[in-house]
Amino acid sequence: MTKEFDVFLSHASEDKDRVRKLKDSLEAKGVKVFFDETTITWGDSIVEKVNHGLLKSTFFMPFLTKTFSEKGWTNKELNSAISTNISRKSKILPIKDHDFDLDTKYALLNDILYQVWPKDEAGLPEFLDKVTDAVVGLIEAEKQPT
C-alpha cells in the first residue's frame, strides 16, 4: 500500500498550538504530515479524511496529554493505530506531555519508547530538532529495501 503521509499527528484541539510547532518543524525538513487543520478542508467528511490519513500514514504520532486522554475522537484514533501497529502495518511514535502519566492511562503503550514534551519552553527548539531528525531518519530507514 502506498503511503501518502509520513506522519499522522494525533492531538486534542486544546493542544493544537503546541502540536502545530511540531508540524512546522517536520514539514520544514520535508516530512509529509497529516494535520487536521491543513489536511481537512471545508466540506470534507472528517471521518473519511481521518480514516484515509490513518491508513495512508507510515507513522502515527499521538501527543499524549490529559486532554487527549479525555477525548473520544483522539482515543478512537489511538485505538485504530494500536490495532494497526499490532499487525506491524504502522508504527506508533508517542510523545507525552511532561506531566502526563502514561502508565495509568495507556497500558498498551508501556512497551513503546516515547519522547517527552519539555516542561520549559526554552527546551522546545532542541526537542523539536531532536524529534524531527529522528523522524527523518525513520522515514529514510523505511525506504530502504529489506
Side-chain angles (χ1 to χ4, degrees):
M1 176 188 295
T2 304
K3 299 294 186 176
E4 185 176 335
F5 304 101
D6 298 311
V7 174
F8 184 106
L9 284 177
S10 180
H11 60 283
S13 56
E14 293 83 354
D15 300 318
K16 191 173 299 294
D17 288 342
R18 292 194 289 166
V19 177
R20 191 179 295 114
K21 293 173 185 174
L22 176 58
K23 175 197 81 79
D24 292 345
S25 179
L26 291 166
E27 288 181 340
K29 292 282 182 117
V31 176
K32 293 176 282 187
V33 178
F34 182 98
F35 188 67
D36 61 351
E37 73 180 12
T38 55
T39 310
I40 303 171
T41 59
W42 188 12
D44 286 343
S45 165
I46 297 168
V47 172
E48 284 181 22
K49 283 287 190 169
V50 167
N51 284 335
H52 177 81
L54 288 167
L55 288 171
K56 295 289 189 169
S57 295
T58 304
F59 300 104
F60 178 80
M61 188 179 296
F63 182 46
L64 304 170
T65 64
K66 182 178 185 299
T67 309
F68 180 103
S69 70
E70 294 169 347
K71 298 262 180 166
W73 191 262
T74 53
N75 279 289
K76 287 178 183 178
E77 291 174 356
L78 181 58
N79 288 337
S80 176
I82 288 171
S83 173
T84 305
N85 188 56
I86 289 170
S87 63
R88 295 291 177 226
K89 294 178 186 167
S90 172
K91 190 170 188 177
I92 301 174
L93 305 174
I95 297 176
K96 76 174 206 76
D97 206 359
H98 63 89
D99 61 352
F100 183 74
D101 184 5
L102 184 66
D103 296 335
T104 60
K105 297 289 185 182
Y106 297 112
L108 288 175
L109 295 180
N110 279 342
D111 72 330
I112 298 176
L113 185 63
Y114 56 84
Q115 298 292 326
V116 179
W117 193 274
K119 181 178 182 177
D120 184 2
E121 277 291 310
L124 190 58
E126 181 181 340
F127 172 79
L128 292 174
D129 286 345
K130 178 178 85 168
V131 168
T132 298
D133 290 346
V135 169
V136 168
L138 289 168
I139 291 166
E140 289 172 1
E142 280 289 314
K143 292 177 182 176
Q144 299 300 318
T146 52

